[in-house]
């Protein structure tokens, strides 16, 4: 690694470390202060009584029904693309399975793309159904998290808040303003923001070239701030219109982290335990940083196959060195590693390099991030997942201090464990189950591009990404077939709502309980020891669940690579 | 009580027999993890037989795996049976003492001789000296001295009498003196001992709340591992590797938390049993468990923290009075005082004066006993009239205020929490006796232990705040509640519970009963009233109110043992993966050989070693499950650090070593 690489990484961490506590504080204000005028107008307009507190069941029902309506609206608008305005290119509607997949994908904050952005969607479709679903998907995640956090802040309460209140507070005071700001900055950096559909270029070699464009900057800002993913163009996030400069690359990286990394501090503020916020932030950053270290090291190292062919791959001032296949030269290895690690860890899914071309050891990191999905994970749901892991870890090890385990004064009893365990099982069920179907049926294996473990990874990646509501694709697998489009669509919906329901129920159960005062006999949950315990638990359970898949995928491929075998 | 600290051979033989009986799948179904092991054992047995008949596959390998799977089940069953039989043996040893008793039943005006076991609740019977108490009951008339050594091991007889808070008698004890009438407290089969025996027997034992929560987590983990193993053949087939069902079953059994699932019932029973060894009969497993969660301990001052009577500790002479003169006055004034205060004054005076018994007594001595009217006691002698009494009693006796120096001594004693008694002779003030509540030895250290575990202590007393504070400080109690009436205790418990704290207390009187029922953990004294015993969730056979501290520690130890063995069990899985997974795939992908970090000799030996380790770890941990992990009062953070290191890190490392050793042994035996 050169000094430049180190500086970039340190700057990135400093930026996140400085930003997260401040944004967390701001969000705490958003959710606890009186309503501002805009919010009052919205509530008056929609005629909803947002002062009425909801129990967890009503909260969950409202969340599900509203998301169902969002999904249906998105589906209809995409389906009717041919009859809607701003479609001068007369693009046809998507196939039914891809429409279903896309609506499911964007409402669940996955933003997996079974379609090719600029080639298949009109500017109207990009601006209305896609951006609308991006907004509501991210908002829903944050609202759900705030309700879950109330489980810890309340005692003897039968309610967990009002869904619409939480939904619009975040939208009005945090999400929308930040999107507007980032959109403008991206326009300044060179992102197009226009209703025109294309521009004709006259390249030096003569002739003309038609380059598609549209309202890119606005979509890009929502895409990154909402950890959505699902870019305007089919290529990937390194497209010069999506990501024109290294500065925009850095901004997009920070946009992905800004809200997700601040959630531990929101938690710390709301529970009045700032140290607890720092402890959970530390857990996130250790996993995040560990992943970054492995990707950076793997991609910087020479490819063993090329090394055997005597190719100079060392990093120097004249060349970036390392594994440059599938990477954008403008960004280099370190910017790409930072971006990739962040986009996977924060479940954005917008990549600026080809995941398929990364070394298997880097792929191990992307898999681990998607399976744990909590470092920091998607908008709201990632941190909610981390709280679930904390509850299970505290229960398992907390008994060893000789008390019924407690988390922030709430006793963890059979109901809590049942709900947390239910949420824990969803990931292995969907990822392992669907991958097993994918690699053993003809409909699944027929569209795999590569043989051996690499082909296995492609299927595993698709289902891991769908389950994580991540949306990044490894490529190498054709996923627009009915089998993959439908199965991944259903998977995204299940992965989004199945764990969320038990976690909301958990919040309902915790809010009802009384809060026990802490004593010297209570397990401390804001110490380095606790950070180590939680990390150990997460890695252990993750490893035990996915080690066989990891072994037959990236581990086998990496070991084969060292023996000169590639797939 | 006879303590069965050693495991007797008949208990072991009984447990072995019981282990086979418990293979009944209907019984095993209540433990889903072990039920899966049983299904796996049956499947491998079928596969082994099929291999033998059809000459397909490895007969020896399948048979060996099948054998060890059955052994895994038997070891787990053995752990539960052993704990159960041990507890039962303890309780039975008590029950036999009351086998052949008879009772003189009161029917109307008649008295009939009936068998002790035929007595029903509310029956009344008579007891005379020398008779064995046939069943638990409460004295409704008379007073008796009773030898309770059969149940408490304490040889000194105790006084039990009707009407007070010490009216309970227990079956199996013997009346030494006195005639009493007793009403039966419980129907046959429902006494505390019967309940205790039922509790350790699996049939009636209900899982405690924490045990249920842990079982849910174990089932959750088991489901995950089922998914892992069920999808593995699909992944393998894509890699063109065929999976051996025997190896898959072995992998499943290794991964699911068999160690803790097998030992979990034994840990629970052993906890109740440990309480019983401390002579505490718990009415439910939950009661012992909740004891570990206690935040606050309510303790009565009298009888619990102090010996219950004030003792003279110092004599303070007035101006121009010698120590000898005061000591002599005290001796004469207390010679015929039967109260504990009087006796201790006499002892102190004799040691100060150096005279005992009849020595140096005046010719004429007429005792003046204490009366509520005078509130003084003493003696009229040929030397003069000696009196001792409280400050105001003496002042009204003298008709003048006390001299300033004496007044100063009196208020000094009162401020230190003691009780001053003023001594006079013929209206001359000689000095002051300092009476003091004596704190039981060793309590301060125990309270300190509790404090380090986050349990705070509150002393409840009817004394004035000044006295209460002094005693609380001396005993190392965190807080006190002075001038308390019985109903205040209840209010205090409710107030603390509303703050989210769990409260424990011990008590014996009928007026304690509501508080005992309200408290989260309530220990009743066996000597106490039936109402108190009914309201409490534990009964102490030794009738020692400080036993509650021990109960808290037993509860904590129970939870620690459960947590430690769960952590250990789950941590074990890492090594088993590194044994079995390379073994499954190394033939097709030699590159995966690097994952065989234990360098196990062959795939067959690797799988076999893992499954043998998985089985043997259960009996290896039985002693720990029964005895419990050592409890250290060092605070939660330190305890967690230590236990995580021992059972978490140890749990990861030990199986690597164990599996390697078993592999070496198998290689030596040419099984590979």
């Amino acid at each position: 690694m050169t000094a430049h690489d180190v500086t970039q990484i340190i700057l990135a961490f400093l930026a996140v470390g400085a930003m997260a506590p401040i944004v967390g504080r701001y969000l705490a204000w958003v959710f606890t202060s009186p309503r501002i005028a805009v919010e009052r107008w919205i509530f008056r307009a929609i005629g909803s009584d947002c002062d009425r507190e909801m129990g967890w069941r009503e909260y969950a029902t409202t969340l599900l029904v509203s998301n169902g309506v969002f999904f249906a609206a998105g589906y209809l608008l995409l389906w009717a693309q041919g009859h809607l305005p701003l479609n001068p290119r007369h693009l046809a509607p998507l196939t039914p399975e891809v429409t279903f997949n896309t609506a499911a994908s964007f409402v669940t904050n996955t933003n997996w793309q079974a379609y090719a952005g600029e080639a298949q969607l009109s500017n109207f479709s990009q601006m209305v159904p896609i951006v609308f679903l991006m907004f509501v998907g991210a908002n829903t995640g944050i609202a759900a998290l705030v309700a879950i956090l109330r489980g810890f802040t309340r005692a003897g309460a039968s309610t967990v808040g009002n869904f619409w209140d939480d939904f619009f507070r975040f939208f009005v005071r945090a999400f929308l303003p930040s999107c507007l700001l980032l959109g403008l900055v991206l326009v300044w950096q060179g992102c197009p923001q226009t209703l025109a559909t294309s521009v004709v270029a006259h390249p030096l070699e003569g002739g003309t070239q038609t380059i598609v464009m549209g309202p890119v900057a606005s979509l890009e800002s929502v895409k990154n701030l909402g950890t959505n993913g699902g870019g305007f163009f089919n290529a990937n996030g390194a497209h010069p219109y999506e990501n024109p400069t290294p500065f925009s690359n850095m901004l997009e990286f920070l946009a992905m982290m800004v809200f997700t990394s601040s959630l531990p501090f929101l938690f710390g503020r709301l529970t009045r335990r700032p140290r607890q916020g720092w402890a959970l932030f530390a857990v996130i950053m250790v996993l995040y940083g560990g992943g970054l270290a492995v990707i950076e090291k793997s991609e910087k190292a020479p490819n063993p196959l090329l090394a055997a062919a005597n190719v100079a791959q060392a990093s120097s001032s004249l060349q970036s060195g390392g594994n440059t296949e599938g990477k954008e030269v403008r960004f280099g290895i370190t910017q790409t590693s930072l971006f990739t690690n962040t986009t996977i860890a924060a479940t954005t899914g917008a990549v600026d390099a080809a995941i398929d071309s990364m070394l298997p050891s880097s792929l191990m990191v992307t898999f681990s991030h998607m399976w744990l999905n909590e470092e920091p994970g998607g908008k709201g749901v990632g941190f909610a997942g981390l709280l679930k892991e904390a509850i299970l870890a505290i229960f398992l090890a907390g008994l060893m201090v000789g008390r019924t385990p407690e988390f922030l004064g709430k006793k963890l009893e059979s109901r809590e464990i049942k709900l947390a365990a239910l949420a824990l099982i969803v990931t292995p069920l969907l990822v392992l189950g669907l991958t097993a179907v994918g690699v053993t049926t003809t409909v699944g294996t027929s569209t795999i591009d590569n043989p051996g473990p690499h082909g296995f990874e492609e299927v595993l990646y698709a289902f891991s990404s769908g389950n994580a509501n991540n949306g990044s694709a490894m490529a190498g697998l054709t996923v627009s077939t009915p089998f993959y489009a439908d199965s991944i669509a259903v998977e995204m919906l299940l992965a989004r709502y199945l764990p969320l329901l038990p976690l909301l129920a958990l919040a309902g159960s915790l809010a009802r309980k009384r809060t026990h005062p802490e004593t010297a006999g209570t397990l401390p949950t804001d110490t380095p020891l606790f950070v180590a315990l939680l990390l150990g638990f997460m890695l252990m359970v993750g490893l035990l669940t996915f080690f066989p898949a990891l072994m037959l995928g990236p581990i086998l491929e990496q070991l084969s690579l060292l023996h000169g075998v590639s797939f | 009580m006879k303590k069965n600290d050693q495991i007797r051979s008949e208990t072991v033989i009984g447990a072995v027999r019981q282990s086979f009986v418990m293979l009944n799948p209907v019984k095993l179904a209540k433990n889903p993890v072990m039920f899966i092991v049983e299904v796996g054992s049956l499947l491998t047995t079928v596969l082994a037989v099929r291999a033998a008949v059809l000459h397909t596959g490895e007969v020896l390998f399948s048979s060996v795996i099948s054998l060890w799977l059955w052994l895994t089940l038997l070891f787990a069953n053995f752990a539960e049976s052993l704990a159960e039989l041990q507890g039962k043996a303890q309780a039975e040893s008590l029950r036999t003492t009351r086998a052949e008793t008879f009772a003189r039943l009161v029917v109307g005006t008649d008295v009939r001789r009936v068998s002790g076991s035929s007595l029903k609740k509310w029956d009344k019977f008579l007891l005379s000296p020398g008779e064995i108490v046939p069943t638990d009951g409460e004295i409704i008339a008379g007073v008796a001295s009773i030898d309770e050594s059969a149940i408490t091991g304490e040889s000194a007889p105790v006084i039990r009498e009707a009407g007070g808070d010490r009216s309970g008698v227990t079956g199996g004890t013997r009346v030494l003196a006195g005639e009493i009438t007793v009403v039966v407290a419980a129907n046959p089969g429902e006494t505390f001992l019967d309940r205790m025996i039922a509790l350790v027997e699996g049939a009636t034992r209900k899982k405690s709340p924490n045990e249920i929560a842990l079982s849910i987590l174990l089932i959750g983990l088991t489901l995950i591992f089922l998914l892992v193993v069920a999808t593995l053949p699909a992944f393998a087939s894509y890699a063109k590797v065929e999976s051996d069902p025997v190896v898959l079953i072995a992998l499943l059994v290794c991964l699911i938390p068999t160690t803790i699932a097998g030992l979990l019932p034994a840990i629970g029973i052993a906890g109740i049993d440990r309480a019983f060894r401390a002579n505490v009969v718990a009415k439910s497993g939950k009661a012992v468990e909740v004891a570990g969660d206690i935040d606050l301990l309510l303790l009565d001052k009298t009888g619990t923290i102090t010996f219950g009577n004030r003792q003279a500790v110092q004599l303070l002479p007035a101006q121009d009075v010698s120590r000898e003169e005061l000591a002599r006055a005290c001796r004469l004034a207390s010679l015929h005082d039967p109260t504990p205060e009087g006796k201790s004054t006499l002892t102190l005076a004799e040691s100060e004066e150096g005279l005992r018994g009849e020595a140096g007594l005046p010719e004429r001595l007429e005792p003046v006993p204490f009366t509520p009217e005078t509130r003084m006691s003493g003696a009229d002698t040929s030397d003069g009239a000696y009196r001792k009494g409280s400050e105001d009693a003496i002042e009204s006796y003298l008709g003048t205020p006390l001299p300033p120096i004496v007044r100063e001594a009196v208020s000094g004693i009162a401020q230190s929490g003691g009780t001053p008694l003023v001594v006079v002779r013929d209206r001359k003030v000689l000095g002051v006796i300092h009476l003091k509540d004596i704190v039981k030895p060793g309590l301060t250290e125990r309270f300190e232990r509790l404090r380090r575990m986050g349990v705070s202590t509150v002393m409840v007393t009817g004394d004035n705040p000044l006295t209460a504070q002094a005693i609380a400080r001396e005993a190392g109690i965190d807080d006190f509640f002075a001038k308390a009436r019985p109903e205040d205790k209840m209010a205090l418990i409710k107030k603390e519970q509303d703050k989210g704290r769990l409260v424990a207390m011990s008590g014996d009187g009928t007026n304690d009963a509501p508080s005992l029922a309200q408290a989260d953990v309530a220990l009743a004294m066996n000597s106490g009233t039936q109402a108190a015993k009914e309201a409490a969730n534990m009964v102490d056979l030794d009738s020692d109110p400080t036993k509650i501290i021990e109960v808290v520690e037993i509860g904590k130890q129970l939870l620690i043992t459960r947590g430690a063995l769960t952590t250990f069990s789950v941590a074990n899985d890492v090594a088993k993966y590194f044994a079995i997974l390379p073994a499954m795939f190394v033939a097709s992908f030699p590159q995966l050989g690097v994952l065989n970090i234990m360098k196990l000799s062959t795939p067959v030996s690797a799988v076999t070693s893992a499954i043998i380790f998985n089985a043997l770890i259960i009996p290896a941990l039985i002693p720990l499950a029964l005895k419990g992990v050592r409890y250290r009062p060092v605070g939660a953070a330190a305890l967690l650090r230590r236990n995580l290191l021992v059972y978490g890190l140890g749990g990861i490392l030990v199986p690597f070593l164990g599996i390697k050793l078993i592999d070496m042994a198998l290689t030596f035996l040419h099984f590979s």
Side-chain angles (χ1 to χ4, degrees), chain A residues 392 395-396 399-404 414 417 429 432 439 514 516-517 519-523 540 544-545 547 551 560, chain B residues 210 228 231 238 292-293 295 453-454 497 499-501 556 559-560 563-564 566 571 574 577 581 585 591 636 640 643:
Chain A
L392 291 171
F395 181 79
L396 194 71
L399 278 176
M400 289 195 292
V401 304
R403 276 174 80 94
T404 301
S414 38
I417 298 309
L429 178 71
L432 296 178
V439 296
R514 53 185 178 196
H516 295 266
T519 66
T522 316
L523 175 81
M540 174 91 100
L544 292 178
T545 311
F547 189 69
M551 190 187 74
S560 305
Chain B
N210 174 263
V228 171
T231 53
Y238 183 76
D293 285 350
D295 300 298
M453 290 310 292
Q497 285 175 335
K499 281 193 238 159
R501 304 171 94 176
K556 286 199 179 292
L559 293 174
I560 292 172
T566 308
V574 178
Y577 257 145
L581 282 182
F585 294 100
Q591 350 23 338
L640 180 71
N643 287 338

Side-chain angles (χ1 to χ4, degrees), chain A residues 201-217:
Chain A
H202 302 280
L204 291 175
E205 67 260 34
T208 57
Q209 200 179 351
T210 307
I211 305 172
V212 178
M213 51 188 230
V216 182

Side-chain angles (χ1 to χ4, degrees), chain A residues 175-516:
Chain A
F175 200 10
L176 191 58
S178 55
C179 285
L180 290 174
L181 186 68
L182 182 65
L184 285 175
V185 176
L186 286 177
V187 169
W188 165 50
Q189 284 296 301
C191 277
Q193 180 69 12
T194 171
L195 289 178
T197 53
S198 57
V199 62
V200 178
H202 302 280
L204 291 175
E205 67 260 34
T208 57
Q209 200 179 351
T210 307
I211 305 172
V212 178
M213 51 188 230
V216 182
S218 56
L219 188 139
E220 285 304 306
S221 64
V222 191
K223 172 183 108 176
N224 289 304
L225 282 163
T227 65
N228 287 289
F232 195 93
F233 297 97
N234 187 39
N236 67 25
H239 190 295
Y241 281 177
E242 286 193 12
N243 197 348
T245 60
F247 179 62
S248 70
N249 196 55
M250 200 68 179
L251 274 182
E252 289 182 8
F253 147 77
L254 287 176
M256 291 187 245
M257 289 301 270
V258 62
F259 290 122
T260 46
S261 64
S262 69
L263 298 176
F265 297 101
L266 168 66
F267 181 58
R269 290 292 292 188
L270 292 184
T271 54
R272 296 174 202 284
R273 292 165 197 263
R275 272 177 64 91
Q276 187 66 58
W278 279 104
L280 291 170
F281 181 69
V283 171
I284 291 171
M285 290 319 280
V286 168
L287 291 170
Y288 173 86
L292 178 64
V294 174
I295 295 186
E296 171 78 7
K297 189 161 168 32
S298 308
E299 298 301 311
K300 272 275 178 185
N303 183 331
L305 292 180
L306 292 177
N310 283 329
V311 176
Q313 299 178 77
S315 186
S316 71
S317 53
L318 291 176
Q319 63 171 18
S320 101
N323 176 31
T324 46
E325 184 193 310
K327 291 189 182 59
E328 172 63 74
V329 188
R330 283 180 298 150
F331 305 143
I333 303 271
T334 301
Q335 282 271 322
T336 309
S337 301
L338 257 176
F339 197 98
T340 306
N341 189 54
T342 311
T343 194
I344 308 292
T347 79
T348 311
V351 291
D352 72 350
I355 305 269
D356 202 22
S357 302
M358 293 196 156
L359 287 168
S361 42
S362 302
L363 284 175
M364 275 172 67
V365 174
T366 61
F367 278 119
S368 309
H369 281 328
M370 289 191 287
W371 293 332
L372 288 176
N373 209 17
E374 286 141 8
E375 62 265 31
K379 270 276 171 312
V381 289
F383 189 68
L386 185 65
L387 291 177
K388 159 204 78 192
E389 302 268 0
I391 284 174
L392 291 171
I394 289 169
F395 181 79
L396 194 71
L399 278 176
M400 289 195 292
V401 304
R403 276 174 80 94
T404 301
E406 282 164 35
F407 186 31
L408 304 187
K410 301 284 191 180
K411 282 212 181 302
L412 304 178
E413 290 163 305
S414 38
R415 186 171 163 79
E416 288 73 46
I417 298 309
K418 196 188 296 170
L419 294 167
L422 265 177
L424 184 72
I425 290 173
V426 176
T427 292
L429 178 71
L430 292 176
V431 175
L432 296 178
L434 286 169
T435 305
V437 175
V439 296
T440 47
T441 54
T442 331
V443 281
T445 51
S446 57
T447 56
I448 301 177
D449 268 1
N450 299 72
H454 200 77
F456 175 72
E457 284 160 33
E458 288 166 359
V459 179
L460 185 65
Y461 197 102
F463 288 116
S464 300
S465 176
N467 170 74
N469 290 148
N470 184 295
S472 68
M474 182 172 157
L477 178 74
T478 308
V479 290
S480 54
T481 62
F483 169 71
Y484 281 111
D486 288 338
S487 62
I488 293 175
V490 172
E491 182 194 26
M492 290 185 289
L493 292 170
L494 292 178
R496 175 75 165 180
Y497 303 108
L498 275 189
L500 214 47
L501 293 181
L503 292 180
L504 281 170
L506 184 69
S509 165
L510 290 177
R512 259 196 304 278
K513 294 193 166 204
R514 53 185 178 196
T515 305
H516 295 266

Side-chain angles (χ1 to χ4, degrees), chain B residues 427-495:
Chain B
R427 308 198 170 249
K428 182 187 177 195
V429 179
L430 297 176
V432 187
I433 306 168
H434 184 176
L435 291 176
K436 201 177 151 187
D437 260 332
I438 302 294
V439 173
K440 291 184 179 174
L443 280 188
T444 319
E445 293 79 57
R446 299 181 89 171
F447 293 148
E448 178 54 35
R449 272 167 80 96
L450 285 174
R451 195 168 306 118
R452 268 180 285 170
M453 290 310 292
V455 181
S456 44
T457 41
V458 173
M459 179 179 84
V460 182
T461 170
D463 287 349
N464 65 60
L466 217 57
T467 313
Q469 192 182 21
I471 296 290
R473 195 177 304 140
E474 190 182 341
I477 294 258
D478 296 321
D479 204 355
F480 62 89
F481 188 50
K483 291 200 166 156
R485 294 158 303 163
E487 60 270 28
D488 292 338
K489 212 189 260 185
M490 175 82 168
L492 179 64
I493 295 176
K494 276 192 177 156
K495 196 181 90 196

Side-chain angles (χ1 to χ4, degrees), chain A residues 84-140:
Chain A
L84 292 170
L86 297 179
N87 187 6
R89 288 184 291 158
H90 303 290
L91 296 170
L94 307 171
T95 63
E97 62 267 15
V98 173
T99 313
F100 170 52
N101 182 293
T102 306
S105 163
F106 279 75
V107 81
T108 57
N109 197 235
T110 313
N111 317 79
W112 169 266
Q113 292 168 297
Y115 61 91
E118 76 278 27
Q120 285 179 278
L121 291 188
S122 69
N123 278 349
F124 180 84
S125 295
Q126 298 269 28
M127 284 166 69
V128 183
I130 292 292
V131 168
F132 165 71
L133 290 177
M134 278 180 168
F135 267 118
V136 296
N139 256 305
T140 300

